[in-house]
Amino acid sequence: MSSILSVRDLCVSYGAIKAVRGISFEINEGEIVTLIGANGAGKSSTLNAVSGLIRPASGEVDFKGQSLVGVRPHKIVERGLALCPEGRRVFTQMSVAENLDMGGYTRSDAENEETMRLVFDHFPRLRERVSQSAGTMSGGEQQMLAMGRALMSKPDLLMLDEPSMGLAPILVDEIFTIIKELNRQGTTILLVEQNASMALSIAGRGYVLETGTISMTGTGADLLHNDDVRKAYLGA
Ligand SMILES: Nc1ncnc2c1ncn2[C@@H]1O[C@H](COP(=O)(O)OP(=O)(O)OP(=O)(O)O)[C@@H](O)[C@H]1O
Ligand SMILES: [Mg+2]
């Protein structure tokens, strides 16, 4: 397996606050890797730094063998790395189709049309609501739209920041099924979740983030059965 993303000694600070304190992790092509941790552990800061939205204080981020540090976010998308951000940041005034178009801005219209059809195959509900303005969609539908928008750039690595947040269990199952399906079709996945049991059950490997530091790593199954993980993150 070859590495697609390599993060070394990554630090993220907000003024005096050290949110991420020198973490290192690796993702290989074709994997589903999950990053779990409590509120404020630094999960979103990590994803935002990798995708160029915030500049790391120090550390290295290599994607397909090239450094991403200092590369602008849209260029990172062009290289094949997309982020579906926390909290369904869709463009509320725009329609479903317009939101998806925004996600495919690096591609031609013809290509976008085809990719949109694939997105609709994953999320039939978006097809039914193609002209609806995003702000009037339900929370779950907005989450699907946020994922669909990230997929429009046809990423090799898709990073998902808490895709199950606030969703009813049946919709959580649906979202996780789609994540597995995307992975089967060749997309590498980095999944940030507070729903640790679901995340660990679909991930090949996982990392536990505790106050900006990686405290544990292992296969999804190992972490799922680890006593410390169960007590801290699985309510067992
Ligand atoms: N823009 C910011 N300015 C100041 N502090 C910030 C900022 N963004 C995040 N932080 C702080 O950095 C730490 C890590 O936040 P982060 O959002 O990365 O955590 P998280 O693991 O994603 O948490 P959650 O599970 O609640 O989403 C927190 O203490 C948070 O308050
Ligand atoms: Mg977060």
Side-chain angles (χ1 to χ4, degrees), residues 120 123-130 138 141 144 171 174:
F120 289 153
F123 302 103
R125 233 183 280 196
L126 296 182
R127 181 184 276 126
E128 294 161 16
R129 290 169 164 71
V130 69
S138 78
E141 289 162 358
M144 292 177 188
L171 205 49
E174 212 175 297

Side-chain angles (χ1 to χ4, degrees), residues 181-193:
E181 184 59 29
L182 290 169
N183 179 251
R184 240 194 316 272
Q185 293 172 357
T187 312
T188 306
I189 308 275
L190 174 54
L191 174 64
V192 158
E193 264 296 339

Side-chain angles (χ1 to χ4, degrees), residues 27-46:
I27 300 177
N28 297 311
E29 260 171 52
E31 281 192 300
I32 299 180
V33 173
T34 186
L35 195 56
I36 59 171
N39 289 121
K43 305 180 297 297
S44 297
S45 299
T46 300

Side-chain angles (χ1 to χ4, degrees), residues 38-45 48 86 161-162 165 192 194:
N39 289 121
K43 305 180 297 297
S44 297
S45 299
N48 291 341
E86 185 179 86
D161 196 348
E162 307 219 21
M165 190 165 50
V192 158
Q194 290 217 36

Side-chain angles (χ1 to χ4, degrees), residues 21 28 35-37 59 61-62 70 85 112 116 118 122-123 128-130 146 149 152 174 185 191 198 216 223 233-234:
R21 303 160 181 241
N28 297 311
L35 195 56
I36 59 171
V61 179
D62 288 346
N112 277 346
M116 211 179 282
L118 296 175
H122 286 296
F123 302 103
E128 294 161 16
R129 290 169 164 71
V130 69
R149 189 182 54 190
M152 286 297 292
E174 212 175 297
Q185 293 172 357
L191 174 64
M198 287 290 277
M216 229 184 300
L223 292 173
Y233 305 106
L234 302 172

Side-chain angles (χ1 to χ4, degrees), residues 128-145:
E128 294 161 16
R129 290 169 164 71
V130 69
S131 312
Q132 188 173 332
S133 69
T136 64
M137 309 243 291
S138 78
E141 289 162 358
Q142 288 186 27
Q143 182 61 52
M144 292 177 188
L145 179 55

